[in-house]
Amino acid sequence: MPREAEPSLNEKQFVTQALQENLRLDGRQLDQYRPLEISFGDQYGVADVTLGKTRVLAKATAEVTVPYVDRPLDGIFTIATELSPMTSPAFEVNRPTETEVLLSRLLEKTVRRSGALDTESLCLVAGQKCWSVRVDVHVVSHDGGLTDAACVAVVGALRHFRKPDTSMEAGRLTVYTPAEREPVPLSWLHSPLCVTWSFFGDDGETAVLDATWLEEQVRVASCTVSLNKHGEICQIAKLGGTPVDAVALLQCTSVALVKVKEFSDLLDRRLAEDLKRRDKGGFMAELRAENDR
Amino acid sequence: MTVTTTAPQAALGVLPRSDGSAKYSHAGYTLTASVNGPIEAQRRDEHAYEAHVEVIVRPAAGVGGTRERHLESLLQSSLAQLILVKNFPRSLIQIVLQVEDSPENDYVNTKLVQASLNLAIMPALVQTAILALLSAGVPMRATATATAVAVVHQDGAKKTVVDPSPREVETARSVHVLAFTSHNGLLLAESEGDFTVGEWDDVYETAKGICCRAGPAKEGTAMVLDDEEASATDMRQFLRSTMESKVAADLHWK
Amino acid sequence: MTAPTIKLPAPLFARLSPHPFLLRNLTATAAAADPARPPAARTNGRGTNETRPLHAKASSLSHAHGSSLVRLGDTTVLCGVRAELLPVERIPLFRPVDRVGDGERGGGDGGDGGDGAGEGGRALLGRGELRDYDLLVPNIELATGSAPQFLPGVPPTALAQTLSTRVYSLLHSTGLVGVEDLRVWSKPGSGEGGDTEMEGAGEAQEVQEGVEEEDRVVAYWVLYIDLLFVSFDGNPFDAAWAAVVAALRNTSLPVARWDPEREMVVCSRTEKRQLNVRGLPVACTAAVFEEKELGEVGTGVVEGRHWLLLDPDRLEETLCREAITMVVDCSDGETRIKSIEKQGGTTIGRELIRGFAVIAEKRWKEVQGAMK
C-alpha cells in the first residue's frame, strides 16, 4: 500500500518554530480546541463527532449472549476500533497499525476500565445470559486529535443508545422488540473524556492542545489525560517521547479539566436536544402510541 | 404503516483527505464513500492492462462478513464496467463505503452479524459510490442509478413498493434491485422471493421510471428537465442536480 | 497470395490467447466454407445453449443425515447435511411459540406474506425463526487443487464467501425447509405422525387436557450444510445449489422426543423422519461472451456480437464479465422465478432476461429428471 508522505524538514522546522513563537498555522491559541460538533443519527446509538477536519463515527449495538465463564455476573462490553482505508489508503483492512492499537487501548482504558458503563447491570441470567454491548468506532477522516474526538463519540453513542427491554417470567427471559416495548437506556455512571496535550521544542517546553495531523507528526511527546467533569482522573498516558517537566504536566491536567467540563456540557446539551427532537410527535411517536401495551 | 418517501440527500467532497468523497442519505440509509485513485496497486492486485477496482463495504456495526463480501463483489463487477479502467493500467482505484445509519425493523430484534443478503441497501451503495467517483473525477463511461422495489401482497391485492422499509422487505413476496446506466442499459438486476416473468416486467417498468426518467441522454435536454416538476424520486435528475450544485459552488469565485 | 499461417496446437493457442481462441471457435462456420470443419461451437464442443448433463447421487456419505454428490461436467460438489439439536435454553433471543398460532399460518413459512401487516408480530417471528436462531448453516469450501487458482492455507476466497452468502440467502428466500420440521416439541403426538398432522390445530388441543405443563418447543434441529468442491470447472453456483437441494431431499432426521423425567431431548435410534423439502428450485447460469476483448460496455448500444454461453466452464468464466443466474421452480406446474442475479455488464437487458426464463425452464426439466 502507498505510504503516507511525511512532512518535509522545512515544514517541520516551520511548524516548530511558529509554535515556539506562540503561533499556530490555523491561527488558534495554543490551548484552544478546534470547533467540536456532535450529532446523533436517526437510530439510537449513532454519534457523529467532528473536530475541525477530523470526523469520527461511533455506533453502539447490544446483543444477548452467554457471559464469560470467569465473569458470570458481568455483561460484555467491547470497543472496536478500526482505521479503514477511508481515512487514508495507507491503512489496510484487517491489518492494524500502531495508531489504531494505541487508539483502541486508550479508549479501552478511558471508558471501559474506568467503569463508565455498569457492566453488572448487563447481566440477565447469572452465568447464562447477558447483554453484550459493542461500540464500533469508525474514523472517517483523520486530521489529528483522534483520541479526543473518538472518546467523545464513544461516550455520546453509549449515552444515546437504548437497548431492548427485557423481562423475566418464571425463569424465562423475554427480549422485547422495539415495537412492543420502548427500549431502555444503559446504566451509565460517569462520562470520562480525553484531552491530549502535544509537546514541542527540544525539552518539550511548548504544550499545545488539540494538535492537527501535521502538528502530531512534528511533536516530540504527547500526553493523554482522561477525566470526568467531577475532576476524577481515569488514566494518564504519556507513552515515551521527550521527558516533560512534572509541574508542567500538573498545569496541563487542570486545563484539561476545564476542557472536559466544556465537552461534557456540550454533550449533555446535544443529548437533551436530541431527546426533545424525538419527543416531538412525528412518525416514531405515533408508532409507539399504537403499540403501547 | 406508510413509508415517508423522503427525497434523497447528498453532499460531495465531505472528506478532506481523499481524492473524492460523498455522503448520501435516502430511505433511512446514510452512507459515506471515499474514492482514492488512481493510486499504486499492490503486486497481487496489479493488472497489466487495466486498473484494479477495489470496493470495500464496511457495516455500521460489527466486522464485515460474507454478506459484505458479496455486496463488494456485486459492486466491483458493476463499477469496473463503468470506470474507464483501461486508462490507468497497473493502478488501483479504491472505493470505501461506510454505512453510517440503516433503518431498523422495529418488529424484530436483529442480530449483529447477519449472513443473508441485504438487497435493500444496494441502491444506496451504488448511488454513493457513483457520487464519490464523480467527486473524485474518475473518468467513467456512464453514471448509474439504482432503486429497490418490493412486491407486497396485501389483502389479496398486489402492490409494488419503491424503497421498501426493512419490515416491508420482510413481508414482501419478492424484492428486486435494479441499476441502470445513464444510457438506459440494465447494469445490475438482483431479485429474490417468488415471482413470475410478468411481475418482473412490471417491476422493471417501475424501476426504469425512477432511474431513467430523463429519457435518452442527449445534449440540451437539461433545459426541458428543469421545467419538469420532480414529483417522485427521479434518481438521474437527482444525480445531475447534485453535481450541478457542487460545480456551481466550486466555481463560485469566478 | 496467401496469408502466412502459423500452426499452433489448440491447447497452446487456448493458453496463449484464450479470447481469440474462444471467438474463433464460436465463429467457425462463418469463417470457413469448408464442410469438413465442425460447426460453430464452444471450445468444449458444446453449443451455446447446451448445458453439461447433471448427475446427482444421493446418500453418498454414510455418517451424515443426508448427503449428495453432484457432477456437472468436471465440476464436482459433495454436500453433507449434519443435524444437531439446539436446546432452546441456549438460544439467547428465544421467544416461545405456540402450536395453534403456527397452525393458523398453514405452513406459510416459505415467504408468502399472506398474513399481511395486521397480526404481524407473531407470524413474522415464526418466519424469522430459521434466520434468528441460525438453523440453517451452509458452508462452502473450495478444495485445494480442485482448480489451479485455489491455494492451500489461505483464508476463504471471495468466491467461497460470495457463494455461501448466495446459498444462504436462497435457502431462506425459497423456504426450502420449513421451520416446523426442525422443531422438537415437549409433547409427542404430532412429531412421529409426520408434519402434515402438525398443522392440525385441533389435535394439539386434545393432547392438552389433563396435563399440567403446556406444550412447548424444547429444542430445534440445526442443519449444518457443508459443501466441498472436489473439482472445479466453472459454474459453481448451479452445482452447489443442486447439491444442497439433493442433499436436503435425502435428509432424514431421527425422531426426537422430550423426556420429562430426565429433562432432555432423546433421539430414537431406529425411527427416522424424512425432511420435508418444498418444491425444487433449480439454478441456471449463463455468461456473456463479447466479441470485443476487454469490451467497451455501458454505451447503451451493444458493440460487436455477443454470445450467451449457458453453463460456462472455467475458461469461459475467466473471459466473461457479465453473468446471469436465474433460479426457477416449475414443480407447481407454473414457472415461478425464485431469484435473478445479473451483474457485470449491460448486454443482458429486459428481452434477454425474458427469454432466459424459457431456457431456465428447460434446464429445470433436465435437472428434475436427474434428481429422481
Side-chain angles (χ1 to χ4, degrees):
Chain A
M1 277 291 120
R3 275 185 42 191
E4 281 282 316
E6 275 184 29
S8 66
L9 204 59
N10 282 345
E11 234 174 329
K12 280 182 187 170
Q13 276 172 352
F14 174 66
V15 171
T16 320
Q17 204 180 329
L19 282 170
Q20 272 159 355
E21 291 165 21
N22 280 352
L23 288 170
R24 291 177 86 168
L25 293 192
D26 45 12
R28 278 185 287 155
Q29 301 294 317
L30 291 191
D31 61 347
Q32 192 186 353
Y33 262 86
R34 288 169 288 179
L36 180 83
E37 205 36 70
I38 309 161
S39 61
F40 298 100
D42 288 338
Q43 305 291 336
Y44 283 123
V46 182
D48 188 341
V49 171
T50 49
L51 180 67
K53 282 179 181 173
T54 299
R55 184 166 160 232
V56 181
L57 191 80
K59 160 112 180 159
T61 43
E63 212 179 10
V64 181
T65 52
V66 182
Y68 293 126
V69 184
D70 53 335
R71 316 210 63 173
L73 294 174
D74 272 355
I76 300 170
F77 173 40
T78 41
I79 303 173
T81 338
E82 200 183 343
L83 292 170
S84 70
M86 185 175 268
T87 323
S88 145
F91 295 114
E92 225 178 309
V93 183
N94 296 329
R95 197 167 291 178
T97 53
E98 196 190 314
T99 329
E100 186 179 324
V101 175
L102 287 180
L103 174 64
S104 64
R105 274 198 58 74
L106 273 175
L107 288 177
E108 181 102 334
K109 277 202 233 167
T110 308
V111 183
R112 207 166 82 93
R113 299 248 220 114
S114 72
L117 177 67
D118 178 17
T119 49
E120 277 179 31
S121 72
L122 299 176
C123 178
L124 294 165
V125 183
Q128 280 179 29
K129 277 171 191 174
C130 70
W131 281 109
S132 161
V133 176
R134 178 190 166 102
V135 189
D136 285 88
V137 180
H138 304 290
V139 179
V140 179
S141 159
H142 176 20
D143 189 32
L146 211 51
T147 322
D148 302 7
C151 193
V152 176
V154 168
V155 171
L158 284 166
R159 286 179 59 182
H160 186 249
F161 183 60
R162 303 281 185 275
K163 67 175 162 49
D165 199 6
T166 54
S167 76
M168 283 290 284
E169 263 173 55
R172 196 170 283 276
L173 175 81
T174 314
V175 182
Y176 294 101
T177 60
E180 289 166 330
R181 278 198 193 178
E182 183 68 359
V184 291
L186 298 167
S187 139
W188 191 251
L189 300 178
H190 68 126
S191 305
L193 296 172
C194 295
V195 172
T196 303
W197 286 94
S198 300
F199 301 99
F200 295 86
D202 295 334
D203 307 316
E205 66 278 355
T206 319
V208 171
L209 263 184
D210 186 28
T212 61
W213 175 233
L214 180 62
E215 288 166 341
E216 278 188 8
Q217 284 171 305
V218 176
R219 70 185 174 193
V220 293
S222 77
C223 175
T224 302
V225 188
S226 307
L227 65 174
N228 58 22
K229 65 174 174 191
H230 311 297
E232 295 162 333
I233 292 186
C234 302
Q235 68 88 31
I236 297 183
K238 185 186 173 300
L239 309 162
T242 310
V244 174
D245 185 31
V247 182
L249 213 55
L250 273 178
Q251 177 63 32
C252 288
T253 41
S254 54
V255 177
L257 179 59
V258 179
K259 295 290 168 193
V260 165
K261 276 182 179 158
E262 260 174 46
F263 295 160
S264 293
D265 289 347
L266 179 70
L267 198 57
D268 290 345
R269 210 161 54 235
R270 288 283 176 269
L271 278 166
E273 279 169 18
D274 185 73
L275 205 66
K276 212 187 256 173
R277 181 171 66 97
R278 273 164 202 278
D279 256 1
K280 217 195 289 165
F283 175 59
M284 280 309 287
E286 221 172 86
L287 198 73
R288 253 173 239 152
E290 66 179 44
N291 285 295
D292 245 359
R293 274 165 209 166
Chain B
M1 269 184 66
T2 50
V3 175
T4 44
T5 39
T6 48
Q9 288 183 325
L12 296 181
V14 289
L15 306 178
R17 291 183 67 205
S18 58
D19 292 347
S21 58
K23 183 175 179 166
Y24 172 83
S25 54
H26 181 48
Y29 290 99
T30 304
L31 285 92
T32 297
S34 80
V35 169
N36 280 307
I39 53 173
E40 178 193 337
Q42 273 192 317
R43 271 289 282 284
R44 57 164 193 223
D45 296 331
E46 205 176 288
H47 298 316
Y49 302 108
E50 57 181 55
H52 176 66
V53 178
E54 186 183 26
V55 182
I56 299 165
V57 176
R58 292 171 57 82
V63 285
T66 53
R67 167 162 86 171
E68 277 69 31
R69 295 295 94 70
H70 187 214
L71 289 174
E72 284 167 11
S73 77
L74 286 178
L75 283 170
Q76 201 271 341
S77 65
S78 304
L79 295 175
Q81 289 297 314
L82 298 178
I83 299 168
L84 291 168
V85 283
K86 294 282 161 347
N87 290 12
F88 313 104
R90 295 181 303 283
S91 57
L92 171 75
I93 293 169
Q94 190 180 47
I95 304 159
V96 186
L97 291 147
Q98 171 74 56
V99 181
E100 290 183 15
D101 213 348
S102 55
E104 273 166 29
N105 192 344
D106 272 345
Y107 290 82
V108 287
N109 282 310
T110 43
K111 287 183 299 162
L112 193 58
V113 179
Q114 289 197 320
S116 66
L117 180 58
N118 182 6
L119 276 182
I121 200 173
M122 230 17 230
L125 288 171
V126 172
Q127 233 92 258
T128 319
I130 292 290
L131 283 169
L133 283 167
L134 285 171
S135 144
V138 174
M140 290 192 282
R141 283 192 188 90
T143 59
T145 45
T147 192
V149 178
V151 179
V152 184
H153 285 233
Q154 206 167 37
D155 311 322
K158 230 173 8 187
K159 210 174 78 182
T160 47
V161 183
V162 179
D163 298 320
S165 69
R167 188 169 154 73
E168 281 165 330
V169 169
E170 183 125 342
T171 44
R173 191 165 278 209
S174 58
V175 184
H176 312 260
V177 169
L178 291 101
F180 295 88
T181 64
S182 46
H183 304 288
N184 295 350
L186 180 63
L187 183 67
L188 182 81
E190 295 281 312
S191 308
E192 67 171 25
D194 182 47
F195 53 99
T196 59
V197 180
E199 279 174 12
W200 187 83
D201 258 358
D202 296 344
V203 167
Y204 180 90
E205 283 302 323
T206 313
K208 193 158 183 178
I210 294 162
C211 294
C212 311
R213 182 84 53 83
K218 269 184 210 139
E219 294 300 317
T221 47
M223 290 280 280
V224 189
L225 283 169
D226 288 339
D227 299 338
E228 209 172 284
E229 201 62 53
S231 51
T233 35
D234 177 356
M235 282 305 167
R236 193 174 288 174
Q237 178 59 26
F238 165 71
L239 213 64
R240 183 187 282 267
S241 59
T242 307
M243 282 315 288
E244 274 169 1
S245 55
K246 172 69 179 162
V247 169
D250 285 353
L251 297 180
H252 180 67
W253 55 274
K254 269 191 175 176
Chain C
M1 288 293 282
T2 52
T5 51
I6 309 166
K7 283 277 179 205
L8 275 178
L12 195 61
F13 187 15
R15 195 41 95 74
L16 283 175
S17 51
H19 192 275
F21 178 63
L22 183 53
L23 187 64
R24 282 296 179 79
N25 272 280
L26 286 167
T27 52
T29 32
D34 186 0
R37 287 190 68 166
R42 289 145 74 173
T43 51
N44 44 30
R46 283 188 275 152
T48 47
N49 268 356
E50 197 179 336
T51 54
R52 295 171 283 187
L54 184 118
H55 300 284
K57 188 177 176 296
S59 47
S60 43
L61 300 175
S62 52
H63 293 287
H65 289 101
S67 60
S68 68
L69 182 77
V70 165
R71 287 184 57 194
L72 186 68
D74 280 339
T75 299
T76 310
V77 194
L78 185 64
C79 177
V81 177
R82 192 165 54 97
E84 274 183 20
L85 276 171
L86 175 70
V88 291
E89 294 79 49
R90 293 212 340 245
I91 305 173
L93 279 176
F94 177 69
R95 298 286 292 261
V97 277
D98 57 90
R99 199 171 284 186
V100 185
D102 185 40
E104 276 169 11
R105 282 210 326 283
D109 245 338
D112 45 347
D115 36 37
E119 184 43 46
R122 201 205 294 132
L124 274 174
L125 196 75
R127 189 184 169 185
E129 269 172 85
L130 281 177
R131 196 176 48 214
D132 286 348
Y133 307 158
D134 264 330
L135 301 182
L136 302 171
V137 189
N139 181 46
I140 291 182
E141 197 181 326
L142 299 160
T144 307
S146 59
Q149 71 257 45
F150 306 128
L151 304 170
V154 291
T157 53
L159 177 64
Q161 295 194 40
T162 305
L163 282 175
S164 76
T165 307
R166 289 169 72 187
V167 168
Y168 183 98
S169 299
L170 201 54
L171 267 174
H172 285 92
S173 70
T174 54
L176 203 60
V177 180
V179 73
E180 62 268 33
D181 272 16
L182 303 178
R183 288 179 182 150
V184 178
W185 294 87
S186 61
K187 292 277 180 307
S190 54
E192 286 94 325
D195 1 76
T196 40
E197 283 164 49
M198 223 172 191
E199 281 159 39
E203 195 199 2
Q205 268 148 7
E206 270 170 33
V207 191
Q208 234 162 29
E209 52 184 10
V211 205
E212 63 283 351
E213 210 188 346
E214 60 180 305
D215 200 6
R216 62 192 173 94
V217 176
V218 287
Y220 285 96
W221 285 107
V222 181
L223 300 181
Y224 291 92
I225 303 164
D226 286 287
L227 288 150
L228 176 73
F229 275 82
V230 180
S231 79
F232 182 93
D233 189 24
N235 204 358
F237 184 71
D238 286 12
W241 180 248
V244 168
V245 175
L248 285 173
R249 281 157 75 99
N250 176 244
T251 304
S252 45
L253 302 175
V255 172
R257 67 171 70 80
W258 175 250
D259 188 337
E261 272 102 64
R262 286 190 283 171
E263 294 218 318
M264 61 188 286
V265 178
V266 188
C267 291
S268 162
R269 271 177 206 280
T270 49
E271 274 182 284
K272 282 195 170 178
R273 199 158 45 89
Q274 181 77 29
L275 189 72
N276 227 10
V277 177
R278 286 200 207 104
L280 177 70
V282 168
C284 182
T285 300
V288 179
F289 178 73
E290 274 156 72
E291 184 175 17
K292 210 166 173 184
E293 192 171 3
L294 311 163
E296 304 270 315
V297 203
T299 39
V301 283
V302 182
E303 302 150 8
R305 282 173 293 173
H306 63 90
W307 291 266
L308 203 62
L309 306 179
L310 207 59
D311 186 16
D313 64 18
R314 197 159 57 84
L315 173 81
E316 288 162 353
E317 270 186 352
T318 52
L319 298 174
C320 301
R321 296 186 178 215
E322 190 171 359
I324 177 168
T325 300
M326 195 183 277
V327 180
V328 292
D329 190 351
C330 317
S331 38
D332 295 337
E334 187 194 9
T335 306
R336 305 292 301 181
I337 304 172
K338 297 292 182 185
S339 144
I340 297 176
E341 291 175 77
K342 181 218 101 87
Q343 63 192 72
T346 49
T347 314
I348 301 177
R350 180 188 195 164
E351 298 308 317
L352 267 170
I353 289 185
R354 267 195 212 156
F356 196 69
V358 182
I359 298 172
E361 238 171 86
K362 206 172 126 239
R363 180 69 175 156
W364 184 84
K365 292 201 179 79
E366 286 171 23
V367 175
Q368 192 210 20
M371 289 270 194
K372 268 178 186 159

